[in-house]
Amino acid sequence: MSDLVLALDIGTTSVRALVFDSSSAVRGAFREEFRPRYPRPAWVEIDPAEMWEAVLRVWHGALAAAGVAPQDLAAAGIANQRATVVAWDAHTGEPLYPAIVWQDLRTAKRVNELLAQGVFANTMASSTKMEWLLREVEEVRQEVASGHARFGTVDSWIAWKLSGGRAHVTDHSNASCTGLYDFASGRWDEAQLEFFGIPAAALAEVLDSSGVRTLTDPATAGARVPIAAIAGDQQAAAFGHLRLHKGEMKITLGTSAMADVNTGDALVPPPAGTYPLVLWSLQGQRSFCLEGAVMTAGSAVQWLRDGMGALPSLEEACSLPHTVSDTGGVWAIPALQGLGTPHMAPSARALIGGLSRGSTRAHVVRAMLEGIAFRCSEVVSTLAAAVGQPEASPVRVDGGAAINDFLVQMIANAVGSPVERPATLQATALGVAYLAGLATGVWGDIEQLRDSWCLGVRMQPLWSADERRERLREWQARVELALAAASRLGSTEAL
């Protein structure tokens, strides 16, 4: 039997495919970017057809890179940006409107109305986006009336296309991000569907994260390959890190930094700025998590390169901080897109202070990386307290920014616990490959996954408890400056 699994990782600006073998090694990979569109201020859309075409190209590109054929695959899995909404015609398979991306804020006014009525909602969830489509797009209304319309998150859309229109499916991790999911029953929430006017028949079937869902259409995929896993990107990354027990945590260091802690087989009360979600469902048993966010992480380094010209390349952010022994008194609050967990102050803005004539770009870059690490520490502390776990538990990291040794070490210092980086930084793809491989016998059980998982580096905190406490005290005082500045402008809002 083949031991090869192809993982699709469909993000907001790119899609990649990776072929893994049973030793967790990448045998081939291919990545392609696509461009979100911004037709109006605060609107973010993606052409679903363009996304689908990119998926096909990376599917075949990764197979070519691995030197294998589609029929050599044991399974495929889909991990995806969450809560983005696609509407399509079930008869033609054609999109009815551009995909409305999770970042899109067109329903912000509606969300505020719902919150004022005591109805929980947020702009990132799918519910108000589907409601907007039903209210504003005539073609969607017509297709709903005829029974031909289908609504889905990105995983549902791609599974539909890969299967040649045979499967309309999703998993519990994605469903839990829509605002339409009943956490108690593990089904679509009938009251919410009625409230938003969304027909249940238009939504996907909610299934386990691991299990053969359908077969790919040979006309597009080249062979009948089992689609054996679906998971939201952050949940897939947690599985790729094997964060399988209560209290275990991971941070994905990308444009933002998303932290998830396993809360076991039950929901726990979410502290400020965190969200309860389903991690995954295996053999009918769900695991849950709390998620917190550092809104600006890798994007802060990109800004130093593109906005400030302080870096000729992102790679220099790995070496430049080591050319100075400290920040020379410079400090930075990386709030270029507001402050997330636990502050939830979207209108807070970044601050850079402590500058002098002796300050250099190396000091500023080092200060920004330290600021990202301190923000990660705030989120980790919030999540750890929620599950009653000591902060000394190891944290695992992945994502593009995790390649930066200085940043990873600073996170260990600021969190006060070891930080582990796996041999492959593509934990999202690895996680959904694990889920697909478990369903098809590539890995027999969790213990085989543990045997194949490879640690890259483990960094121990270098600060004493007293030094860490003092640095965190200084950090909190500077965060208060950012919050106070936003408050004086009359623009701070609690989500």
Side-chain angles (χ1 to χ4, degrees):
M1 187 188 75
S2 169
D3 72 339
L4 300 178
V5 179
L6 186 145
L8 288 169
D9 179 5
I10 307 166
T12 307
T13 59
S14 68
V15 57
R16 71 186 75 212
L18 295 91
V19 177
F20 291 93
D21 64 23
S22 57
S23 68
S24 300
V26 177
R27 294 278 295 275
F30 200 86
R31 177 181 180 272
E32 185 169 310
E33 293 186 359
F34 51 79
R35 292 182 178 274
R37 302 172 183 178
Y38 307 91
R40 298 185 188 179
W43 287 29
V44 189
E45 298 176 351
I46 295 172
D47 181 349
E50 182 180 343
M51 180 193 299
W52 164 237
E53 291 164 1
V55 165
L56 280 182
R57 286 192 291 270
V58 301
W59 174 282
H60 293 291
L63 290 171
V68 299
Q71 56 266 31
D72 295 325
L73 295 174
I78 302 170
N80 56 283
Q81 52 167 300
R82 304 166 305 177
T84 294
V85 171
V86 183
W88 68 92
D89 185 321
H91 281 190
T92 67
E94 293 300 314
L96 299 173
Y97 191 83
I100 303 179
V101 177
W102 61 274
Q103 297 166 312
D104 187 285
L105 298 178
R106 74 185 66 191
T107 64
K109 182 178 179 181
R110 174 61 169 155
V111 166
N112 288 334
E113 291 173 355
L114 293 171
L115 292 173
Q117 297 170 21
V119 178
F120 176 76
N122 71 80
T123 58
M124 291 188 292
S126 309
S127 54
T128 58
K129 295 172 172 44
M130 292 184 189
E131 182 190 48
W132 185 92
L133 287 168
L134 285 164
R135 186 179 66 243
E136 301 293 337
V137 182
E138 176 64 26
E139 188 176 5
V140 171
R141 288 199 300 273
Q142 291 176 356
E143 294 302 318
V144 166
S146 69
H148 296 166
R150 297 292 181 267
F151 289 130
T153 42
V154 166
D155 57 303
S156 299
W157 165 243
I158 297 303
W160 174 278
K161 296 294 285 184
L162 279 171
S163 67
R166 291 192 304 273
H168 190 204
V169 294
T170 189
D171 87 307
H172 292 268
S173 71
N174 276 292
S176 71
C177 299
T178 63
L180 301 170
Y181 181 79
D182 183 346
F183 281 89
S185 68
R187 302 184 181 92
W188 295 120
D189 188 321
E190 294 180 2
Q192 288 290 88
L193 296 184
E194 182 178 359
F195 182 86
F196 288 107
I198 299 166
L203 294 178
E205 182 182 4
V206 183
L207 299 170
D208 276 354
S209 308
S210 177
V212 176
R213 302 291 155 240
T214 186
L215 300 176
T216 60
D217 182 358
T220 55
R224 296 195 182 278
V225 179
I227 299 177
I230 293 174
D233 52 6
Q234 299 306 321
Q235 291 96 326
F239 201 82
H241 284 297
L242 300 181
R243 306 285 75 187
L244 305 178
H245 300 292
K246 183 176 180 179
E248 293 183 332
M249 195 179 309
K250 69 85 184 168
I251 305 173
T252 298
L253 295 165
T255 300
S256 58
M258 305 298 292
D260 296 83
V261 62
N262 190 322
T263 64
D265 59 3
L267 294 169
V268 302
T274 67
Y275 299 95
L277 298 170
V278 177
L279 261 178
W280 45 71
S281 179
L282 302 177
Q283 299 180 337
Q285 299 297 313
R286 291 178 296 162
S287 295
F288 298 89
C289 70
L290 283 176
E291 187 168 279
V294 176
M295 301 307 295
T296 307
S299 58
V301 182
Q302 291 174 324
W303 174 78
L304 288 173
R305 180 195 64 183
D306 301 333
M308 293 295 291
L311 290 168
S313 67
L314 294 179
E315 289 72 23
E316 192 176 2
C318 298
S319 58
L320 192 60
H322 295 286
T323 64
V324 289
S325 59
D326 54 34
T327 67
V330 180
W331 53 270
I333 307 293
L336 295 163
Q337 295 158 287
L339 285 169
T341 310
H343 311 286
M344 299 312 288
S347 54
R349 290 295 174 261
L351 297 178
I352 298 176
L355 296 167
S356 71
R357 286 292 299 272
S359 301
T360 68
R361 65 189 185 97
H363 293 122
V364 173
V365 171
R366 182 174 177 128
M368 188 66 77
L369 292 172
E370 289 191 2
I372 296 168
F374 281 122
R375 282 289 297 122
C376 289
S377 172
E378 288 187 289
V379 177
V380 168
S381 296
T382 301
L383 296 177
V387 294
Q389 287 292 116
E391 293 181 28
S393 301
V395 175
R396 287 182 175 170
V397 296
D398 66 284
I403 196 67
N404 190 314
D405 285 348
F406 179 82
L407 175 59
V408 174
Q409 181 63 66
M410 279 301 307
I411 292 173
N413 295 344
V415 170
S417 68
V419 174
E420 298 176 340
R421 184 176 65 202
T424 175
L425 294 180
Q426 303 302 329
T428 295
L430 181 60
V432 81
Y434 280 165
L435 289 166
L438 283 173
T440 53
V442 174
W443 292 280
D445 53 31
I446 297 297
E447 288 309 310
Q448 284 192 14
L449 295 183
R450 294 188 194 281
D451 291 341
S452 71
W453 190 88
C454 298
L455 177 66
V457 66
R458 178 183 173 99
M459 295 194 177
Q460 299 286 349
L462 301 180
W463 294 346
S464 68
D466 287 343
E467 182 178 4
R468 176 172 175 262
R469 191 178 302 113
E470 178 60 22
R471 293 219 185 189
L472 289 175
R473 185 192 64 77
E474 293 174 352
W475 165 259
Q476 291 299 332
R478 289 159 183 166
V479 169
E480 291 301 322
L481 289 176
L483 294 171
S487 180
R488 282 196 295 272
L489 291 174
S491 57
T492 298
E493 298 176 6
L495 292 185

